[in-house]
Amino acid sequence: QFGKKIWPLDNVFGPQASTPEIYHVIAWPISKAAMHGYNGTVFMYGQTTSGKTYTMLGTPESPGILPCTVRDIFTLTKND
């Protein structure tokens, strides 16, 4: 059909997905690759108030993607 677009997606997470699940599927491989010299980006996109900031930052009790990434990068540098 005219005007119909197909948007390929790498992953789709439902409302029950946890931040650790999202981190291990999306951000961990990017962080690991970055530590081997590759460039990497985690880009959050979505409607206002859909949870992007919470998913990225989290809380002290439940850290988000960004604190988990920083933690793992420092862990990787200590192990090398």
Side-chain angles (χ1 to χ4, degrees), residues 3-78:
K4 186 175 183 179
K5 294 189 184 255
I6 296 173
W7 301 96
L9 303 171
D10 292 328
N11 295 283
V12 176
F13 296 93
Q16 301 304 318
S18 66
T19 301
E21 177 187 0
I22 295 169
Y23 172 74
H24 286 290
V25 171
I26 302 294
W28 170 240
I30 294 171
S31 300
K32 195 165 56 170
M35 295 304 293
H36 289 95
Y38 293 93
N39 293 327
T41 300
V42 175
F43 182 78
M44 302 291 282
Y45 180 80
Q47 186 173 347
T48 301
T49 71
S50 63
K52 297 177 300 293
T53 301
Y54 177 79
T55 301
M56 286 303 286
L57 299 179
T59 65
E61 300 79 29
S62 177
I65 290 172
L66 184 58
C68 290
T69 300
V70 171
R71 175 201 64 211
D72 286 349
I73 286 174
F74 277 101
T75 300
L76 286 170
T77 58
K78 283 197 289 187

